[in-house]
Amino acid sequence: MKHIGIYTTSKQPSAVAMILNEANALAEIGHRVTVLTPVRYKNIRNLHKSVSITYVAKASLLSTTPFFASFSDLGTCYSMWKQLKCQNFYSFVSKGLMLAEKLKQLDIQHLHCIFNQHDYYVSLLGSKCADASLSSFWDVSSYGRVEKHTQKLVEQCDLPLVELECQRLAADEQTLVLNRGLDLSKYKPYERNKTALHLVFIGNIVDESGLKVILSAFADLPSRLDVKLDIIGEGPIKKALVNDLIRKRLNRKVHFLGNKSRKWILKKLPQYSAIVSPYCSNGSIAQVDNITYIKEAMASGLPVLTSNIAACKEITSSNTGMKCPPNSITAMSNMLTAFMQLSTYHRHLLGQNARKYAEENFNVKHQSRALSRWIQAL
């Protein structure tokens, strides 16, 4: 089977964890997998024996060897740089050719990258110069950043993938939809016997998060109802929301916890009653950037309280939680009230359904089998 390289410059713990999960799952199928990165990750554990991490040196004025070693590729470099209108020529070419040299040295036949524009440009050049096929995961956080170049970039890729059907480019027929998966063995549902409700929001605190709607809905709830909300994350509207909750006298029910480590979140997540994320629209998902945490909450057996936009209909189902129309305080208040009126057992069933949905739709082993088949067919 093909030797697969995965290129990333990400330093985000959640993104790195997902990449390593995918690398392990591909290795279990039979691939040799090498993660190529200029970042020196610490405390990396539980890698499959067929997975290795190779550090690609950062390009500098001293790292000119690739220019001479791959002189015949300079025409390709210039043509691609001009076509993509990307970063400065030296940086683009040096990084791309250094990556190409690594691909050749390690005999990597296919390169996979998780889309961000910079990594994609470097991966595209490196794979073309090393004569390797390329796949790229255009996850939901990519769509707010690419704009006009999106179609052109997709056409450059041998195997473009997207996270959600509703984010697929209208004019593009070759892009395949594949959910990024989780290693479900790491998530253990937790028995919740308490009648009190403790909700959690995780993500960027931005206008698109729907947090203004949540706070207004909380203010409309009867004071006797025993419900609390923890908000994990940071963002530009946090200060305004804190002032808002003080005015609405919600400071005993709503708590802003700031950013928390991934280890803390995964430890505490199963103890909540549900995760709430009322996106304002499909486009909000890229700004809030919390789709991974919603999947992990479902894997931990938490029901999902969200909006009935197209994207949420893809990542959840009618029996994994509750949905309401976006941007409606009344609808949000009614949904929270309805959820609180459910029996403890009924909420437990929703959590079980959420876990089952994650097992069927977000299992990294299943997703990697599909990815492997497509890569082998290139």
Side-chain angles (χ1 to χ4, degrees):
M1 300 183 78
K2 289 183 179 180
H3 182 183
I4 298 175
I6 300 179
Y7 179 69
T8 182
T9 61
S10 179
K11 296 180 181 179
Q12 293 184 341
S14 59
V16 174
M18 188 161 282
I19 287 169
L20 296 180
N21 287 341
E22 291 168 345
N24 283 339
L26 287 167
E28 287 182 12
I29 295 169
H31 292 280
R32 181 184 168 198
V33 183
T34 301
V35 178
L36 301 144
T37 178
V39 182
R40 292 199 171 271
Y41 299 123
K42 297 179 180 179
N43 301 319
I44 300 297
R45 300 174 182 174
N46 302 319
L47 286 182
H48 190 279
K49 62 181 180 181
S50 295
V51 176
S52 59
I53 298 178
T54 295
Y55 296 96
V56 180
K58 295 181 179 179
S60 67
L61 290 173
L62 299 176
S63 58
T64 56
T65 304
F67 281 92
F68 301 104
S70 305
F71 186 78
S72 61
D73 293 326
L74 286 179
T76 302
C77 295
Y78 179 75
S79 175
M80 196 170 291
W81 172 75
K82 191 172 182 181
Q83 180 185 7
L84 298 176
K85 300 178 182 179
C86 47
Q87 57 191 325
N88 101 17
F89 179 74
Y90 174 78
S91 177
F92 170 62
V93 172
S94 59
K95 290 177 181 177
L97 291 181
M98 289 176 73
L99 177 59
E101 286 298 304
K102 281 290 184 183
L103 297 178
K104 293 175 183 177
Q105 288 173 12
L106 299 172
D107 193 26
I108 292 174
Q109 299 150 293
H110 179 86
L111 183 64
H112 182 65
C113 70
I114 311 305
F115 186 90
N116 73 50
Q117 201 158 326
H118 173 267
D119 286 4
Y120 179 78
Y121 287 151
V122 173
S123 299
L124 183 61
L125 179 57
S127 63
K128 298 304 179 187
C129 291
D131 196 26
S133 54
L134 176 69
S135 60
S136 179
F137 224 125
W138 299 63
D139 62 24
V140 293
S141 60
S142 307
Y143 281 82
R145 306 171 188 168
V146 187
E147 300 175 353
K148 295 180 181 178
H149 289 162
T150 302
Q151 186 63 47
K152 182 184 290 185
L153 292 173
V154 169
E155 290 171 351
Q156 297 279 342
C157 190
D158 300 303
L159 182 61
L161 307 164
V162 294
E163 175 92 34
L164 296 172
E165 183 73 41
C166 67
Q167 302 288 78
R168 184 197 289 257
L169 298 170
D172 181 51
E173 293 299 328
Q174 65 167 325
T175 306
L176 297 166
V177 180
L178 182 68
N179 284 311
R180 299 194 66 195
L182 306 172
D183 181 354
L184 292 171
S185 65
K186 297 180 179 179
Y187 304 92
K188 306 297 182 185
Y190 182 82
E191 290 294 331
R192 304 172 189 84
N193 297 317
K194 296 180 180 178
T195 56
L197 287 180
H198 199 173
L199 309 179
V200 64
F201 168 92
I202 309 172
N204 296 330
I205 302 176
V206 293
D207 286 325
E208 295 84 356
S209 65
L211 284 171
K212 292 179 180 178
V213 175
I214 294 180
L215 293 186
S216 296
F218 259 72
D220 288 347
L221 296 175
S223 58
R224 68 178 184 277
L225 294 178
D226 189 6
V227 57
K228 295 181 180 179
L229 171 66
D230 286 347
I231 298 174
I232 300 172
E234 295 287 348
I237 67 168
K238 178 181 176 181
K239 185 176 180 180
L241 291 179
V242 171
N243 292 333
D244 195 28
L245 74 87
I246 292 173
R247 282 196 301 271
K248 293 174 178 175
R249 299 182 179 180
L250 293 173
N251 42 306
R252 290 188 177 182
K253 291 190 173 184
V254 180
H255 302 93
F256 286 83
L257 304 185
N259 283 328
K260 292 293 183 181
S261 69
R262 178 172 174 77
K263 182 179 180 180
W264 186 95
I265 291 173
L266 295 185
K267 180 180 178 181
K268 297 291 185 180
L269 193 57
Q271 300 175 23
Y272 286 99
S273 307
I275 187 168
V276 58
S277 191
Y279 302 110
C280 298
S281 66
N282 284 321
S284 302
I285 293 183
Q287 280 68 47
V288 183
D289 197 19
N290 67 343
I291 192 171
T292 298
Y293 285 117
I294 289 180
K295 291 179 179 180
E296 291 182 316
M298 295 174 74
S300 300
L302 269 68
V304 181
L305 307 180
T306 187
S307 305
N308 58 3
I309 58 175
C312 292
K313 291 177 181 177
E314 288 190 49
I315 60 175
T316 63
S317 73
S318 59
N319 62 352
T320 60
M322 290 184 173
K323 300 184 181 74
C324 69
N327 306 310
S328 171
I329 296 171
T330 302
M332 173 59 67
S333 180
N334 290 340
M335 180 177 70
L336 291 174
T337 301
F339 186 72
M340 286 184 281
Q341 289 176 343
L342 295 176
S343 67
T344 304
Y345 177 69
H346 196 163
R347 292 199 295 266
H348 172 70
L349 285 181
L350 290 177
Q352 281 191 325
N353 291 337
R355 169 68 186 197
K356 185 177 180 181
Y357 189 91
E359 290 173 349
E360 294 173 351
N361 296 277
F362 307 137
N363 189 329
V364 70
K365 295 182 180 180
H366 298 164
Q367 319 300 31
S368 293
R369 289 192 194 101
L371 179 59
S372 173
R373 288 195 300 271
W374 291 331
I375 289 173
Q376 288 296 111
L378 292 175

